[in-house]
Each structure stands twice: as structure tokens, then as C-alpha cells.
């Protein structure tokens, strides 16, 4: 006997509406009761950066209004889920939906800051700059830090709804596209995704997006 679907997931989004650990535990208990086995934990978006980073503390201290999960709490949730037969797949959205990242690290953005946590719903313009090596060095260290906490083989990079306004307005990005034969912003995002997939693979993670 085996389940028909090996991935029986539930997505929760505390990036936009923060949920304390007790609420996450209650969700996991309900998942166990109904035989759901993958918690998709959406931890970053324009409205909040909810994961403690000790390497880059400005991510959570400036991007969360003080509502975030400590590394100890995230490890606890992973262990609590595992005890109930549930995987935890975290989502760190990029290269769009990154306003909360950029509050503390505007140097990663495709356009100059400053940035502020988004208070509305919608699809917003701030994006990472996919042409600069320092962005990938930053992501390499951050992914490595999170990979040590989240033991599941998958990590979700979001990747949806990337507005190209900042990319279109940047002469440096336009020059990069010409130099690398990238004929569209979709091709530029593919370039970013390929670089990011190599970083995730280096840290033992398969990319979900």
C-alpha cells in the first residue's frame, strides 16, 4: 500500500501574514491528521522577510517589523514536522518579490534604494540585479546558511511575477544583455535561474520554482 500522490502539500504564507510557531505547529498537526506530507513554508516576500540570518542580520531585523522566526524556531519546526512524517520546503522568493530583502540590502537591487517593506497587495517593481557577481556571492552564503537548517532536498525560489521595470531602466543591465546575447528579460531571468540552480546544487538542494 502506498499513497497515490507522493507530494501532498500545503502552502502557508507568513511572509504576508505572520504566524507564530504555535500556529505552524497547529497546521502541522492538521496536516498529519489528513495525511498531508509537505509543508511549503513561504518565508520571504515584498511584505516581510521572516527567517533569521546570522550572516546577514539586516535581512530580518529591517525586513520583518520584528516578526520573524529565529534559527532555533525554524529548526524546531523542521523537527516537529519530521516527527509527523512531514517535509518542510522553505521558499525564499527571487529575483522578484524581494522588497523586504532590499530594505536592509539595497545594494542587491537593480535600481538604487532606499526601500521600505511593502504594505499593500500587488506585484511590485523591486528586483535583484541578475548581472552582478556580488549578488550571487551573497546568495551563495545565504543559501548555504538556510540549507543547514532546512534538511529537505528541495528549496523553493519562487520566481513568479518578475516585473522588468528596473531591468529595462538600467543601462548596465542592457549592456549585459547585449554582451551575453540575452534577447529578452525572460532570457535574463533564465540566466539568473541557472546561476541560482548551481548555487543550490552546491549546497545539496534541488530547485523548485
Amino acid at each position: 500500500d502506498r499513497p497515490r500522490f507522493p507530494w501532498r502539500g500545503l502552502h502557508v504564507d507568513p511572509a504576508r501574514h505572520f504566524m507564530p510557531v504555535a500556529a505552524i505547529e497547529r497546521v502541522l498537526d492538521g496536516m498529519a491528521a489528513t495525511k498531508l506530507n509537505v509543508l511549503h513554508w513561504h518565508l520571504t516576500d515584498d511584505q516581510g522577510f521572516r527567517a533569521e540570518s546570522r550572516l546577514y542580520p539586516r535581512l530580518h531585523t529591517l525586513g520583518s517589523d520584528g516578526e520573524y522566526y529565529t534559527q532555533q524556531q525554524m529548526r524546531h519546526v523542521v523537527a516537529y514536522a519530521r516527527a509527523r512524517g512531514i517535509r518542510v520546503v522553505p521558499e525564499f522568493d527571487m529575483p522578484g518579490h524581494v522588497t523586504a530583502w532590499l530594505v536592509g540590502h539595497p545594494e542587491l537591487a537593480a535600481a538604487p534604494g532606499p526601500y521600505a517593506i511593502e504594505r499593500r497587495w500587488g506585484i511590485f517593481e523591486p528586483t535583484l540585479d541578475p548581472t552582478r557577481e556580488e549578488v550571487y556571492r551573497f546568495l551563495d552564503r545565504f543559501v548555504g546558511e538556510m540549507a543547514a537548517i532546512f534538511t529537505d532536498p528541495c528549496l523553493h525560489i519562487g520566481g513568479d511575477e518578475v516585473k522588468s521595470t528596473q531591468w529595462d531602466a538600467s543601462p548596465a543591465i542592457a549592456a549585459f544583455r547585449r554582451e551575453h546575447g540575452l534577447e529578452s528579460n525572460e532570457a535574463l531571468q533564465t540566466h539568473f535561474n541557472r546561476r541560482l540552480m548551481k548555487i543550490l546544487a552546491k549546497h545539496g538542494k534541488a530547485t523548485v520554482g
Side-chain angles (χ1 to χ4, degrees):
D1 183 34
R2 66 186 61 178
R4 181 180 173 195
F5 299 108
W7 183 297
R8 304 181 303 283
L10 181 70
H11 173 211
V12 295
D13 186 6
R16 294 187 174 97
H17 290 288
F18 186 72
M19 303 168 64
V21 170
I24 300 295
E25 290 176 344
R26 186 165 181 255
V27 167
L28 290 165
D29 290 341
M31 290 177 66
T34 53
K35 295 183 169 50
L36 299 178
N37 72 334
V38 183
L39 177 67
H40 174 176
W41 202 7
H42 189 159
L43 291 168
T44 70
D45 214 293
D46 296 295
Q47 295 82 3
F49 194 102
R50 307 301 184 187
E52 179 193 16
S53 171
R54 294 175 185 171
L55 292 177
Y56 300 109
R58 284 184 293 169
L59 287 171
H60 65 275
T61 57
L62 298 182
S64 72
D65 291 319
E67 293 185 317
Y68 62 89
Y69 304 104
T70 66
Q71 293 200 3
Q72 181 179 359
Q73 288 174 324
M74 291 187 289
R75 292 181 192 276
H76 166 76
V77 167
V78 170
Y80 192 94
R82 185 188 302 114
R84 287 152 182 78
I86 298 170
R87 300 165 54 184
V88 178
V89 176
E91 178 178 346
F92 304 101
D93 219 328
M94 53 187 128
H97 287 283
V98 291
T99 306
W101 294 66
L102 303 177
V103 178
H105 288 278
E107 73 278 7
L108 302 177
Y115 292 89
I117 295 170
E118 189 55 67
R119 307 298 179 181
R120 300 168 296 145
W121 297 103
I123 304 171
F124 303 102
E125 294 182 0
T127 49
L128 300 180
D129 186 337
T131 71
R132 299 209 314 270
E133 287 302 313
E134 54 264 40
V135 171
Y136 298 105
R137 287 193 290 268
F138 185 103
L139 293 176
D140 187 8
R141 295 188 73 210
F142 175 75
V143 168
E145 183 182 24
M146 294 299 113
I149 297 169
F150 294 99
T151 55
D152 194 83
C154 294
L155 189 147
H156 203 300
I157 65 166
D160 62 314
E161 299 172 336
V162 180
K163 292 192 77 169
S164 61
T165 310
Q166 291 187 341
W167 294 355
D168 291 333
S170 168
I173 291 176
F176 182 93
R177 278 183 48 185
R178 288 193 299 270
E179 180 183 351
H180 291 81
L182 303 172
E183 296 183 358
S184 66
N185 286 316
E186 289 78 9
L188 181 59
Q189 186 175 351
T190 297
H191 168 83
F192 173 83
N193 286 346
R194 287 173 173 163
R195 291 289 305 270
L196 188 56
M197 288 172 71
K198 289 181 180 178
I199 290 171
L200 266 64
K202 170 185 169 183
H203 295 290
K205 300 299 180 187
T207 303
V208 182

